[in-house]
Amino acid sequence: GESVGLHLPTLSVQEGDNSIINCAYSNSASDYFIWYKQESGKGPQFIIDIRSNMDKRQGQRVTVLLNKTVKHLSLQIAATQPGDSAVYFCAENMPPGNQFYFGTGTSLTVIP
Amino acid sequence: KAGVTQTPRYLIKTRGQQVTLSCSPISGHRSVSWYQQTPGQGLQFLFEYFSETQRNKGNFPGRFSGRQFSNSRSEMNVSTLELGDSALYLCASSFATGSNEQFFGPGTRLTVL
């Protein structure tokens, strides 16, 4: 699994609506996944993680779903706020060690 | 608890020069990973260090190297800089190696002229 294309998908949502960001990962051996949020000029910020023995995990306003059958990951953000505007990346880890491969990223814009 | 820190934050070099970037992980974290981020290629894994040993290496040429010290601080070095090395270099730390939560620093923006 390696990286990333040249085109950054975009998603625009109204403030207060729910957002769903999708990610297809590449390696069936990946055992751990993280969603990151990256704002302009900053490093990626950890949002939520999930291990391959789970199919759903919830955090504060965020839920991650994992479908290993089709190698698909999604991030759901409830009641999206303007501060959620950023680029969101999914990252898959291939064991052993910490060797994360990142998706292309999705640019989320929240319309007030 | 302080987060991951990286120095310098910005750097301008010319082709052919070499550069050293520094990363201090979160206190207590022993794994440090380095990534390169460019608009064209996105975030790409460079290498991971754990307990002063390189554990994993991405698909980058030998001009990219790193090391980790006994206090877990890490440096990465790029020799014979090329224009294409212009990027945001990100360091991430984890408590341990092996599918662990990983937290990023703010990055070092390297520009090669």
Side-chain angles (χ1 to χ4, degrees), chain A residues 5-34:
Chain A
L6 302 174
H7 174 69
L8 193 67
T10 59
L11 175 66
S12 295
V13 299
Q14 288 290 143
E15 181 179 358
D17 287 352
N18 297 335
S19 302
I20 299 177
I21 301 171
N22 296 302
C23 176
Y25 65 93
S26 55
N27 200 308
S28 56
S30 295
D31 66 350
Y32 178 58
F33 306 86
I34 300 177

Side-chain angles (χ1 to χ4, degrees), chain B residues 3-93:
Chain B
V4 179
T5 58
Q6 293 187 243
T7 57
R9 292 294 312 278
Y10 302 91
L11 206 49
I12 300 175
K13 292 284 188 179
T14 56
R15 280 181 298 174
Q17 287 187 308
Q18 67 95 27
V19 67
T20 299
L21 312 181
S22 181
C23 171
S24 292
I26 291 170
S27 178
H29 284 194
R30 295 166 60 198
S31 166
V32 173
S33 298
W34 288 90
Y35 294 83
Q36 181 196 66
Q37 187 175 29
T38 60
Q41 298 295 319
L43 266 153
Q44 293 188 292
F45 173 80
L46 280 156
F47 28 66
E48 180 204 7
Y49 285 87
F50 179 74
S51 293
E52 301 177 65
T53 303
Q54 188 179 88
R55 295 298 300 263
N56 294 287
K57 190 177 193 306
N59 189 25
F60 279 82
R63 300 185 297 107
F64 292 81
S65 63
R67 59 178 175 167
Q68 187 180 34
F69 303 94
S70 58
N71 62 357
S72 295
R73 190 177 68 85
S74 177
E75 290 181 346
M76 69 162 281
N77 185 77
V78 188
S79 62
T80 320
L81 283 165
E82 300 176 359
L83 295 179
D85 296 333
S86 294
L88 181 66
Y89 289 88
L90 292 157
C91 164
S93 82

Side-chain angles (χ1 to χ4, degrees), chain B residues 84-105:
Chain B
D85 296 333
S86 294
L88 181 66
Y89 289 88
L90 292 157
C91 164
S93 82
S94 299
F95 177 74
T97 188
S99 303
N100 265 260
E101 292 180 350
Q102 183 174 242
F103 300 93
F104 280 87

